[in-house]
Structure formats: C-alpha cells, structure tokens
Amino acid sequence: MRYVCELFLVILLVSLAAAQVPATIGEQFSSEEHLAKPGWWPRKGDASRKDYVGAQVCAQCHAALAAGQQQHAMAHTAIPGAEAELPGGKAAYDLGPFHYGLAKKNTAMTYTVTGNGESFSAPILWVFGSGSRGQSFLFERKGNFEEARISFFRNLGISITPDHPAGVPDSLENALGRQIPAEEAPACFGCHTTAANVSNHFDPAHSMPGISCEGCHGPGGAHVAAASAGTGANPEMIVNPRNFDPSTAVDFCGSCHRTWWDINQVSYRGINNARFPAYRLEGSRCWGKGDARITCFACHDPHQPLMKELAAYDGKCLSCHVTSATKKSADHPGAACPVATSNCASCHMPRYEIPKMHTTFTDHRIRVVHDPTSFPD
C-alpha cells in the first residue's frame, strides 16, 4: 500500500511539473482527508448541535478574543436574509428581456425575476459574504437551495454571479440562478456558518450565522462544562490551531481557503488561484520545509479585523529576512532586499484582478516578481 501511495505521488508530481510543489507535500492532505481523520477539523459534522454553546458563552471567559473576532469578516460571512441589509432597500439588473430585482421591506428580502410574460419571486434565506468584496444570495425552490443569478460586488454594484452564464437566458427557469447540489451545500454552509453540519446531518436552519469561535476551535460544550465544574479543561476538549505544526496549520485554514492538495486534485489552474491563499503560500520559495513564521495566523489574527495597511506586515517579513546592515543567520536566513526596507508585500505579493469577481486579490505566493503581468502557477 505504501508503495502504491508513493508511486501515485511520483506520477502526480511529474504531472504537476509546471506548478511549485512544496517540500512539505508528504505532510499535507486534502480537506476531505483531514475531515476523515479523528478529531475536530473545520466543516466537520459528527458532533451534535447541543455540543455547541455559542460565542456568547465563549465570551464569558474570553471576552477580548470574542469581541475582536466579531469584528473580523469571518464572523459575518453568512447573514440570514431577514437580518441582512440591502443598500437603498432595493437593487435591480436587466439581462435581455429579463429583469432582476432585490427588495428589502421590513424583515423580508425578496428576489424577483420577470421576463417573457412570466414571473418568479422568493424570499432570500441567506446572504453569503461579509460584503467586504461582495455578497451572493440564496433562496429555496423545489426543496433545494439555489444561488441567485445576480450578486452584489463592492466595486461594481449588482452584476452576474461568478461562474454563472453571462449570456441571455432562454427561459425563466434558466434565468433564476444555479441549483446548489445536495452534496455541495454542506461544504458551502460549512465555510459560511457554524454548526450547519451536525450528527452527520445537514441542518442549516439551526446553524449559527458566520464563522464564530466554535467554527475554528470546535464544539465547546465539554470544555465549558469542565471549566464550570472547576476540574480544569482538558486540552483535547477544544482545539487550539496555534499548537499545530506549520503544514497542518496552513491546511487547517485551507479547509475553507483551499489546501495545496484541494487545488491540485481538481487540476485548477490560472489566475483564479489567486483567491486561494493557503495553496499559494505553500508554493512560496520561503515556505521551504514549513516555517511557523509564515503560516496564515502568523500574519493574520483571526480575532481581529484584517489589517489592510501593507506596512503593518513588514515586521513579519523581517522575522526571516535581514536588513542591509545585517548578515544572514540560521534564525534569519532571508537575504536583505536591495530595493526597499518597507511595504515588502507591495512588491513580493502582487495583487491580481479576477474579472468574474470584479475585485483584486493579494497573491500569497511570496517571491521576487520579475514580471508583474505574469502569474506563475
């Protein structure tokens, strides 16, 4: 069996010769492989709903962390339609003979499509996305979740949802949107809500909107019970990702942001990969055999809003790289930059626009960029 696995790995690596293969590849797994292992992993659904206590209970002991996490975009990546805001109360879009409308009145958000003498209307049940880049809208039809044909984009307004056909629909049926397959829905809600998958059953109606404390740390019921009883909380009762080795740590975030194996198993190529920071990071030369100084949460605190000022990350770069007046060492193996000593990410982590997303993404494949118009994959 071991021989078969090694042979498969060799064949895969040969087929991916054009892609940067991390030296830690033997220690990394796809998200589905992680989910199949014992223990907690984001999107895992074997715990019961009663094992989750909610962020308010977590805040009783971890007030500062819980308050900060509520300011992070992850905490707002899913909003029930009745609670979501719609700028101006309504939005509209035309595509050939079809007119699309979103309207918010009182506590109801409604999606309407009319054209060719026909009409369809349904309440929006969920809004996915914090709005920092955009939001998509989910409604229910014939017992299935569907993603609306139109979405909101921060830099554009209302337009066609990514990966939906841009052409004029041939019928009202095909104009509405995309049905979310039954096998896909648990993964969507698993990355946008907390506890949508419980007792090995998909139950979004009783989930917690957004990724809260337990979305990353796992169900807190046993942990809280032990702490309340004064017996001390067993570390195994709750997960602290900071205790992971670098490869596992990046795979952990990659459970929603795509691991290296997740992308390569589907042979996903091209500039759209700029959306997947975990995959791109592990293709960086400085990732090497895995370095705790450049894991996801070494630079990004999930308990605080995302820092957007590039200079704020300079200290992270200089934890590995020396300045021009310092010699390289075992602790600082990175060479000094001959160009600048600040705003490192502006040169070494370029931003790329993904047309269908109508926004730009920072490429986390850290490198010396010889041609900013190219996208090495």
Side-chain angles (χ1 to χ4, degrees):
M1 182 64 181
R2 177 69 180 176
Y3 171 77
V4 173
C5 293
E6 290 177 349
L7 179 61
F8 171 77
L9 180 59
V10 169
I11 294 173
L12 179 63
L13 296 185
V14 169
S15 68
L16 296 172
Q20 179 71 33
V21 179
T24 52
I25 191 60
E27 304 166 15
Q28 296 166 230
F29 301 90
S30 70
S31 293
E32 293 306 313
E33 289 172 320
H34 278 294
L35 287 168
K37 292 182 176 183
W40 170 254
W41 199 256
R43 296 197 285 119
K44 196 141 191 178
D46 55 356
S48 70
R49 182 62 179 82
K50 65 181 178 60
D51 292 331
Y52 290 84
V53 297
Q56 290 183 335
V57 173
C58 299
Q60 293 175 9
C61 291
H62 308 284
L65 292 175
Q69 196 273 338
Q70 278 298 304
Q71 303 305 311
H72 197 287
M74 288 194 300
H76 307 283
T77 194
I79 309 168
E83 300 175 15
E85 297 295 329
L86 188 61
K90 59 182 179 179
Y93 187 83
D94 290 316
L95 185 61
F98 294 96
H99 177 77
Y100 294 82
L102 286 165
K104 182 69 183 287
K105 186 175 181 180
N106 297 326
T107 60
M109 184 183 294
T110 305
Y111 175 56
T112 303
V113 184
T114 58
N116 292 342
E118 299 179 282
S119 180
F120 170 85
S121 183
I124 294 297
L125 300 181
W126 289 93
V127 178
F128 275 7
S130 67
S132 60
R133 284 195 171 97
Q135 293 175 313
S136 58
F137 306 94
L138 271 61
F139 60 97
E140 190 173 297
R141 187 170 75 97
K142 298 180 180 179
N144 297 304
F145 281 111
E146 293 203 18
E147 183 181 49
R149 184 72 171 272
I150 58 172
S151 290
F152 166 74
F153 300 90
R154 174 64 61 185
N155 296 333
L156 181 67
I158 298 295
S159 189
I160 299 297
T161 299
D163 295 327
H164 284 232
V168 176
D170 58 6
S171 66
L172 180 68
E173 177 87 8
N174 292 330
L176 302 180
R178 181 183 75 90
Q179 180 179 317
I180 300 175
E183 65 274 13
E184 181 183 326
C188 295
F189 278 85
C191 286
H192 284 270
T193 69
T194 300
N197 302 304
V198 292
S199 301
N200 297 311
H201 174 68
F202 179 48
D203 185 20
H206 296 97
S207 65
M208 304 177 207
I211 299 301
S212 63
C213 311
E214 293 166 293
C216 291
H217 295 285
H223 174 76
V224 171
S228 299
T231 58
N234 188 318
E236 295 182 359
M237 292 180 177
I238 204 76
V239 172
N240 186 349
R242 288 195 179 276
N243 295 330
F244 292 154
D245 62 79
S247 296
T248 304
V250 176
D251 272 4
F252 187 85
C253 297
S255 60
C256 285
H257 295 281
R258 309 294 180 91
T259 72
W260 191 93
W261 280 109
D262 290 342
I263 297 300
N264 281 290
Q265 282 187 339
V266 295
S267 300
Y268 207 74
R269 292 287 171 267
I271 198 168
N272 288 327
N273 278 341
R275 292 181 297 153
F276 308 130
Y279 162 75
R280 297 297 289 173
L281 179 65
E282 292 169 336
S284 303
R285 180 180 177 184
C286 53
W287 170 252
K289 295 182 179 180
D291 194 317
R293 290 171 292 188
I294 57 170
T295 60
C296 305
F297 35 77
C299 292
H300 303 297
D301 186 348
H303 304 106
Q304 295 294 329
L306 179 69
M307 293 187 297
K308 297 184 178 181
E309 299 77 17
L310 293 183
Y313 296 97
D314 288 346
K316 307 295 184 180
C317 301
L318 294 176
S319 69
C320 292
H321 287 266
V322 298
T323 60
S324 57
T326 310
K327 292 183 178 181
K328 292 194 293 183
S329 65
D331 187 55
H332 282 69
C337 179
V339 177
T341 57
S342 63
N343 291 323
C344 310
S346 64
C347 288
H348 299 286
M349 300 177 69
R351 295 182 66 84
Y352 290 91
E353 181 174 358
I354 298 180
K356 66 181 180 181
M357 303 294 292
H358 305 293
T359 189
T360 58
F361 288 79
T362 297
D363 185 11
H364 282 66
R365 181 171 170 179
I366 307 165
R367 63 189 186 279
V368 175
V369 181
H370 298 288
D371 179 6
T373 63
S374 68
F375 185 80
D377 201 19

